[in-house]
Each structure stands twice: as structure tokens, then as C-alpha cells.
Amino acid sequence: MRKNLKIRSTNFDLVLGDVNKNKEIIKDLVKNAYDDGVSILSLPELSLTGASLYDGYKDMALLCEDAILELKEFSKGYNILFSVGFPLQHNRKIYNAIALIMDGYLVDLFTKKNLSIIEKNVFSNDMPDGEVIQFLDDWCEVNPSSTSISQLNIGVSIGEDEMMGIPRSLTYKSDIANCPQIILNPTAEVKMALNEEEILNRVRFLSKDVTYVYTSQGRGESSTDFVYNGLNIIAEDGRIEKVICNDQIDYVNRYRLYTDQELLHFDKFEENIGQKEKFPYLPIYEKRDTYVKDVLDIGASALLTRMQKIGVKNVFLGVSGGLDSTMVLLFLVHAYKKAGLDLSGINCYTMPAFGTSDRTKSNAYLLCKALGLKLREINITDAVKIHLRDIGHDGVSADTAYENAQARERTQILFDLANMHKGIVIGTGDLSEAMQGFATFNGDQMSNYSLNASLTKTEIRYIVGAIAETTENPKLRRVLEDILDTPISPELISQDKKEISQKTEDIIGPYELIDFFIYEHLTYHLLAKEILEDAISAFSDKYDKEIIKRWLISYFKRFTASQFKRSTSVDGPNITGRSFSPRAGFKIPSDMRSEGYLENLNEKEK
């Protein structure tokens, strides 16, 4: 069951070297956190003593042992997991240690491996992982791969253990069976000029796929040689959620918890974690230009590598005047300019037929002209009519064969042209369409290389919009703005050449919902009911619950029914971390049905 769990990271006005005083402060912190509904409380490295005692730890080890025993007894009745940093004495050696304590139990012990030069004068780092030692009249495992409470895995990495060649948290993540969902990094990091951004970047990196809690010493430490940064940082899957200096921060997130028959389990939960973001996969505005540059550079680098390996300089694509082919053209121009290739190697074709509107056809011409490319036209109307007649179709009924014959004719032309001129066909389909199967099998689903494969429609709209806003080419700006304003359509049926009558979002749902579903599905592998909860939180101001539920059911039905298309997908770069690649992306059997996804919504296949 998913529950909203509150995590608190805090430092405090530590009394350097006064174990008994710090112990009493920690008791108050635990009590207050428990009363506030906190389930996990992260305290800094060496929180019982301070981090700047030098040789003083040799005098503190036995005092700390008594304090840990008292905190363990005190914790009875407090169903909150909290960390305490202290010098651990074992076999005449002293270790920089963290104890996890909860409800009268010493849950686990961790010792630091990567000691600073000063620490090496006092502490040892030779405690083997998984070593069982006697401590406080109990037998305790030291440095387990993770701590499990309510089957939620929690890893602990102390201070500079996150600065080893392979950070300790990454080692935890490599253990698939016990991979933590939460990593605590109690630390005592020194403050240097301009090093806060370095710390934030490190936390962003290490927080990938987990909730990451960085808790540093600060207030009360010695100023003899160093000033300690006193930072509390909580990050989630590569995003910094909260930062504060010398104070406490709380963070609430949803975790799948199991409590039956477990001795220790969480029972403090938050009812509301605030409104979910509509577009959690898009960067903040300040990172927009960097994001767009990274996307273009990754796509360009991948394409140029593929072209070099197979020895081609010509690419072929259909330009519809819609968002997806526009994004691919922007990729191609960026790649060719980066490599110093002649833009004449980008071969663009518009292939109008029954459903092509005047607006999109016009935009295709304007876009290519603005980019310095030549657009050639091949009208496929007669070819498709002949094909439909040959297979016994009346050429009038706007059924699936009528629609798909147009898409397949276009693909056939592009592949034949590529064969004639020693080139490759670049696909224009995106992640949103692929996840919903909204592509013609062996039509627009097929190409030699697919640049948009890991980009959703919303991400493409964001990138094209950013380029429109920042380009110094006024002709390009105008056509991109009109393309962004054009309704998304496969344009396979039309009652009026001047109007777009077939709109994709009327068929599969609003892309902002579809792309939210994709993000939560591929990133966190959530159940349908969990995605529904989050989508309602994010979009309740725009769609009512039944509308969101209707499109979520449609999403999973289309997703399962179209796996056979994704199973035959061609190569393409994974730019966003969300991929359906049959080699390295998210995949299911092609004969899987949707009931398994929808049963938790009490919905059956109709």
C-alpha cells in the first residue's frame, strides 16, 4: 500500500564534546519529530559529540556507548527511525559510526570507510561489510546493504563515503534485490567559498532513482580550522526538493509500504503531500536553455555516430508541418552544422494525400525555407487510390486500411529514395505516440533511425517553443509559433482542406495527461490507482476525476495492445531516461492484456 511518509533532516545547536547534553537534545528532537508525524529523522555525522574533536574521540567512546543505550531505551514507544552519529569502540579501535534506532531497538550500525586525513589519526576504516559484532549486549550486523522497515529499504552512507571512486550509495544501488528507496547521508562537510553548488550537483547525481537526505553538522562546531556548512538537503530522483542552512526541513513522499507481521514498521503517515506538478519531467525555466542544448547535442551526436559507422551522408524524412517532423528537422540541422556537413544532405519530402490540410503543407514549406533546406513534393493521392483499388477497397470508406495505406505509401517512398541515394530514413514518431500505439505498423512506425524515440509530445512542444523564443531567425520564429498553435493530427481523413478535422487528442486523450501517465509509469513503475491519485492531484483544476480515469484506462489498454509495435522498434538515442527500446528500455510481452494493470482500478477489459 502506498503511504505518504514524512522525512525530516535537521542539525542542532550542538555542544561540542558534551555527550550527555547532546543526548538530551536528541531526545527532544525525536519526541518533537514524532509528534509532528515524522517517520524518519536524519541527524548529522558524529551528532553525539561534534565532528571537530580531533583526538578527543578517544575519551568519548565509552560515554557514547552509554548514551546510545539510553537513547535506545528512550525510543520505546516512539515509532520513528532516527540516526545518531558517534565514535564506536570495537576491538581496541574506534570507528566513525551511525546507529539507526527505532522503538527500543538498535536496528543497524554503519561505519565510515573513506576517512579524511585528520580522521585517520583517530578512526579505523577496516570494519568488513556484514560483520556481526557484540554491542550493547546485542549482536549487530555492521554495514548491511540496506535497512528494511515496512519493506522500505533505507541505505546509510556517512560523509566522505559519498566521495569515493564509487560512492557508497551507488554500491547500494547495484544490489538489485536490496536497492534502497531512501539514502541517508549524515555528514560533517566543511564550508569553502563557492562549494555549495558543487555539493548540490553531487546530491542531484546521487539522488537518481531515490530519495536522498543530506544532513550536515553546522551550529556549535569548533572554528579552529574549519567552518561546517550546516546544510540540510533533500533531493528526489535528480531534483533538489529542499535546501536550508542550520535548520530543519521536512519532505513528504509516497512509498509502497508493507507492515503485516513485521516487528518494526512505520505507522505515522501524512494525509496530504501537496499538489503534484503537472510537468515534473520538464526543467525549471532557468535550466531551459541548457536542457534544450543537451537534447540537441545528444541527438546530434547519436545520429552522426550512426551515419559515420554505416558510411552515409544523406538522410531522408517526411516533413508534415507538424511538431514531430519539426523537432527532427531541428535535430538534423543542428547535427549537420555541428559536423560541418552540407545541408543538402538533408532530403525533405512532403507527400500530401486525402487528409493533408493547407495549413500544415504551407508550414512544411515555410519551415524548410527558414532552415535553408529544399522541400520536394510527391503527391501520393493517385498511388494510394491505385493500391486501394488493387486490394479491392472502394477508395471511399475511411476505415483503417484507407488511413494506413497513406502512411505506408509515404514510408515506402522514403525507403526507396534512401536506397537510390545511399542514405537512411529518419523516423519522426515520439514516445507519446509509441506508448499509445498511435502509429501505423510498417508505416510511420518504421525508419532506419528514430531521433524522437524518448521524447514525449509535451517535451517536444517545450523544446520547439524554447527555440522559437530564442532564435534570431524571424522567419523560423514565425513558422514555429504557427506549428505550435496547430492542432496535432495524423491528417489521414479530412472533410475540408482548410480545416484539420481529425485531432489526435480527441482520440487518445490530452497529451499533457498521457505524458504525465508515461512519466509516472516508466520512471516509478506505479500502479494505475497510484498514477490516478497523482494525476488527480496535479490536474484537478483542469479535469474532473472521471475524465482523468477514463483516459488512464484508455492509456493502459492502448499501451498493452500496441506492444507488438514497440517490440520491433528501430534504434534511437535515449535522451530522457524513458525508453521503450526492445533492447534496453521498458518492455512487456506482446500478448499481455490490460487487466493486470487495471484490476486495481476495479476496471475490466470491455
mmCIF file of all heavy atoms in Angstrom, residues 6 8 10 27-41 80 248 250 268:
data_model
loop_
_atom_site.group_PDB
_atom_site.id
_atom_site.type_symbol
_atom_site.label_atom_id
_atom_site.label_comp_id
_atom_site.label_asym_id
_atom_site.label_seq_id
_atom_site.Cartn_x
_atom_site.Cartn_y
_atom_site.Cartn_z
ATOM 1 N N LYS A 6 6.671 11.070 6.034
ATOM 2 C CA LYS A 6 7.379 12.329 6.264
ATOM 3 C C LYS A 6 8.793 12.041 6.760
ATOM 4 O O LYS A 6 8.992 11.270 7.691
ATOM 5 C CB LYS A 6 6.642 13.197 7.280
ATOM 6 C CG LYS A 6 7.329 14.550 7.514
ATOM 7 C CD LYS A 6 6.678 15.358 8.623
ATOM 8 C CE LYS A 6 5.427 16.048 8.158
ATOM 9 N NZ LYS A 6 4.927 17.025 9.191
ATOM 10 N N ARG A 8 12.418 13.977 7.986
ATOM 11 C CA ARG A 8 12.968 15.249 8.487
ATOM 12 C C ARG A 8 14.494 15.167 8.528
ATOM 13 O O ARG A 8 15.063 14.190 9.007
ATOM 14 C CB ARG A 8 12.425 15.572 9.870
ATOM 15 C CG ARG A 8 13.038 16.836 10.505
ATOM 16 C CD ARG A 8 12.298 17.240 11.762
ATOM 17 N NE ARG A 8 10.952 17.701 11.451
ATOM 18 C CZ ARG A 8 10.032 18.028 12.366
ATOM 19 N NH1 ARG A 8 10.325 17.911 13.663
ATOM 20 N NH2 ARG A 8 8.838 18.440 11.996
ATOM 21 N N THR A 10 17.678 17.413 10.025
ATOM 22 C CA THR A 10 17.922 18.550 10.913
ATOM 23 C C THR A 10 19.311 18.477 11.550
ATOM 24 O O THR A 10 19.830 17.400 11.817
ATOM 25 C CB THR A 10 16.847 18.626 12.017
ATOM 26 O OG1 THR A 10 17.001 19.839 12.753
ATOM 27 C CG2 THR A 10 16.942 17.458 12.980
ATOM 28 N N LYS A 27 16.982 13.580 22.248
ATOM 29 C CA LYS A 27 15.699 13.073 22.752
ATOM 30 C C LYS A 27 14.564 14.043 22.409
ATOM 31 O O LYS A 27 13.484 13.636 21.962
ATOM 32 C CB LYS A 27 15.757 12.871 24.265
ATOM 33 C CG LYS A 27 16.581 11.689 24.716
ATOM 34 C CD LYS A 27 16.548 11.600 26.249
ATOM 35 C CE LYS A 27 17.391 10.466 26.782
ATOM 36 N NZ LYS A 27 17.378 10.412 28.265
ATOM 37 N N ASP A 28 14.802 15.329 22.634
ATOM 38 C CA ASP A 28 13.771 16.334 22.329
ATOM 39 C C ASP A 28 13.474 16.372 20.832
ATOM 40 O O ASP A 28 12.315 16.511 20.426
ATOM 41 C CB ASP A 28 14.217 17.718 22.802
ATOM 42 C CG ASP A 28 14.198 17.861 24.316
ATOM 43 O OD1 ASP A 28 13.473 17.082 24.977
ATOM 44 O OD2 ASP A 28 14.918 18.741 24.845
ATOM 45 N N LEU A 29 14.519 16.254 20.021
ATOM 46 C CA LEU A 29 14.316 16.264 18.570
ATOM 47 C C LEU A 29 13.464 15.070 18.125
ATOM 48 O O LEU A 29 12.592 15.196 17.266
ATOM 49 C CB LEU A 29 15.666 16.231 17.845
ATOM 50 C CG LEU A 29 16.529 17.493 17.956
ATOM 51 C CD1 LEU A 29 17.918 17.227 17.358
ATOM 52 C CD2 LEU A 29 15.871 18.667 17.241
ATOM 53 N N VAL A 30 13.733 13.903 18.721
ATOM 54 C CA VAL A 30 12.964 12.697 18.382
ATOM 55 C C VAL A 30 11.509 12.860 18.802
ATOM 56 O O VAL A 30 10.585 12.567 18.034
ATOM 57 C CB VAL A 30 13.593 11.456 19.047
ATOM 58 C CG1 VAL A 30 12.677 10.239 18.890
ATOM 59 C CG2 VAL A 30 14.965 11.175 18.442
ATOM 60 N N LYS A 31 11.297 13.325 20.035
ATOM 61 C CA LYS A 31 9.933 13.494 20.539
ATOM 62 C C LYS A 31 9.152 14.488 19.680
ATOM 63 O O LYS A 31 8.005 14.226 19.286
ATOM 64 C CB LYS A 31 9.966 13.961 21.995
ATOM 65 C CG LYS A 31 8.586 14.130 22.630
ATOM 66 C CD LYS A 31 8.687 14.617 24.059
ATOM 67 C CE LYS A 31 7.309 14.697 24.713
ATOM 68 N NZ LYS A 31 6.390 15.568 23.980
ATOM 69 N N ASN A 32 9.759 15.632 19.375
ATOM 70 C CA ASN A 32 9.073 16.643 18.572
ATOM 71 C C ASN A 32 8.784 16.146 17.152
ATOM 72 O O ASN A 32 7.721 16.418 16.592
ATOM 73 C CB ASN A 32 9.910 17.929 18.509
ATOM 74 C CG ASN A 32 9.994 18.626 19.852
ATOM 75 O OD1 ASN A 32 9.137 18.444 20.702
ATOM 76 N ND2 ASN A 32 11.050 19.412 20.047
ATOM 77 N N ALA A 33 9.735 15.426 16.595
ATOM 78 C CA ALA A 33 9.533 14.894 15.251
ATOM 79 C C ALA A 33 8.387 13.884 15.238
ATOM 80 O O ALA A 33 7.539 13.891 14.338
ATOM 81 C CB ALA A 33 10.822 14.247 14.743
ATOM 82 N N TYR A 34 8.357 13.023 16.248
ATOM 83 C CA TYR A 34 7.285 12.026 16.327
ATOM 84 C C TYR A 34 5.927 12.710 16.462
ATOM 85 O O TYR A 34 4.952 12.323 15.805
ATOM 86 C CB TYR A 34 7.537 11.097 17.510
ATOM 87 C CG TYR A 34 6.526 9.978 17.621
ATOM 88 C CD1 TYR A 34 6.577 8.878 16.767
ATOM 89 C CD2 TYR A 34 5.517 10.014 18.587
ATOM 90 C CE1 TYR A 34 5.652 7.852 16.866
ATOM 91 C CE2 TYR A 34 4.587 8.988 18.691
ATOM 92 C CZ TYR A 34 4.657 7.915 17.821
ATOM 93 O OH TYR A 34 3.733 6.911 17.917
ATOM 94 N N ASP A 35 5.871 13.734 17.315
ATOM 95 C CA ASP A 35 4.606 14.475 17.489
ATOM 96 C C ASP A 35 4.182 15.172 16.195
ATOM 97 O O ASP A 35 2.994 15.395 15.972
ATOM 98 C CB ASP A 35 4.742 15.511 18.608
ATOM 99 C CG ASP A 35 4.872 14.870 19.982
ATOM 100 O OD1 ASP A 35 4.531 13.681 20.109
ATOM 101 O OD2 ASP A 35 5.323 15.562 20.926
ATOM 102 N N ASP A 36 5.165 15.507 15.337
ATOM 103 C CA ASP A 36 4.868 16.166 14.063
ATOM 104 C C ASP A 36 4.557 15.186 12.943
ATOM 105 O O ASP A 36 4.397 15.583 11.785
ATOM 106 C CB ASP A 36 6.058 17.039 13.635
ATOM 107 C CG ASP A 36 6.219 18.275 14.507
ATOM 108 O OD1 ASP A 36 5.239 18.643 15.188
ATOM 109 O OD2 ASP A 36 7.311 18.867 14.492
ATOM 110 N N GLY A 37 4.494 13.901 13.266
ATOM 111 C CA GLY A 37 4.159 12.904 12.253
ATOM 112 C C GLY A 37 5.329 12.451 11.406
ATOM 113 O O GLY A 37 5.145 11.856 10.346
ATOM 114 N N VAL A 38 6.556 12.708 11.859
ATOM 115 C CA VAL A 38 7.752 12.295 11.108
ATOM 116 C C VAL A 38 8.004 10.804 11.333
ATOM 117 O O VAL A 38 7.881 10.307 12.444
ATOM 118 C CB VAL A 38 8.983 13.121 11.560
ATOM 119 C CG1 VAL A 38 10.267 12.583 10.938
ATOM 120 C CG2 VAL A 38 8.782 14.595 11.203
ATOM 121 N N SER A 39 8.374 10.101 10.261
ATOM 122 C CA SER A 39 8.697 8.673 10.366
ATOM 123 C C SER A 39 10.190 8.402 10.311
ATOM 124 O O SER A 39 10.655 7.394 10.829
ATOM 125 C CB SER A 39 7.995 7.895 9.245
ATOM 126 O OG SER A 39 6.605 7.911 9.421
ATOM 127 N N ILE A 40 10.959 9.270 9.647
ATOM 128 C CA ILE A 40 12.416 9.102 9.562
ATOM 129 C C ILE A 40 13.060 10.436 9.908
ATOM 130 O O ILE A 40 12.748 11.464 9.289
ATOM 131 C CB ILE A 40 12.855 8.656 8.155
ATOM 132 C CG1 ILE A 40 12.223 7.305 7.800
ATOM 133 C CG2 ILE A 40 14.374 8.573 8.075
ATOM 134 C CD1 ILE A 40 12.492 6.862 6.374
ATOM 135 N N LEU A 41 13.962 10.419 10.890
ATOM 136 C CA LEU A 41 14.667 11.626 11.320
ATOM 137 C C LEU A 41 16.160 11.441 11.061
ATOM 138 O O LEU A 41 16.784 10.533 11.606
ATOM 139 C CB LEU A 41 14.426 11.882 12.813
ATOM 140 C CG LEU A 41 15.217 13.025 13.452
ATOM 141 C CD1 LEU A 41 14.837 14.372 12.844
ATOM 142 C CD2 LEU A 41 14.993 13.044 14.968
ATOM 143 N N ILE A 80 9.558 5.827 15.292
ATOM 144 C CA ILE A 80 10.250 6.706 14.356
ATOM 145 C C ILE A 80 11.683 6.221 14.244
ATOM 146 O O ILE A 80 12.335 5.926 15.249
ATOM 147 C CB ILE A 80 10.184 8.180 14.827
ATOM 148 C CG1 ILE A 80 11.042 9.087 13.934
ATOM 149 C CG2 ILE A 80 10.616 8.331 16.279
ATOM 150 C CD1 ILE A 80 10.920 10.564 14.275
ATOM 151 N N GLN A 248 15.817 22.863 10.210
ATOM 152 C CA GLN A 248 15.282 21.566 9.824
ATOM 153 C C GLN A 248 14.410 21.713 8.587
ATOM 154 O O GLN A 248 13.820 22.756 8.338
ATOM 155 C CB GLN A 248 14.450 20.957 10.958
ATOM 156 C CG GLN A 248 13.141 21.692 11.240
ATOM 157 C CD GLN A 248 12.393 21.081 12.407
ATOM 158 O OE1 GLN A 248 12.989 20.544 13.320
ATOM 159 N NE2 GLN A 248 11.071 21.181 12.374
ATOM 160 N N ASP A 250 11.444 19.325 6.252
ATOM 161 C CA ASP A 250 10.613 18.131 6.149
ATOM 162 C C ASP A 250 10.305 17.871 4.684
ATOM 163 O O ASP A 250 10.186 18.793 3.877
ATOM 164 C CB ASP A 250 9.290 18.309 6.905
ATOM 165 C CG ASP A 250 9.492 18.409 8.411
ATOM 166 O OD1 ASP A 250 10.590 18.053 8.875
ATOM 167 O OD2 ASP A 250 8.561 18.856 9.101
ATOM 168 N N LYS A 268 3.208 6.279 11.112
ATOM 169 C CA LYS A 268 2.896 7.709 11.034
ATOM 170 C C LYS A 268 2.859 8.106 9.562
ATOM 171 O O LYS A 268 3.865 8.007 8.861
ATOM 172 C CB LYS A 268 3.960 8.539 11.757
ATOM 173 C CG LYS A 268 3.909 8.413 13.271
ATOM 174 C CD LYS A 268 2.942 9.430 13.841
ATOM 175 C CE LYS A 268 3.041 9.473 15.360
ATOM 176 N NZ LYS A 268 2.149 10.485 15.932
#
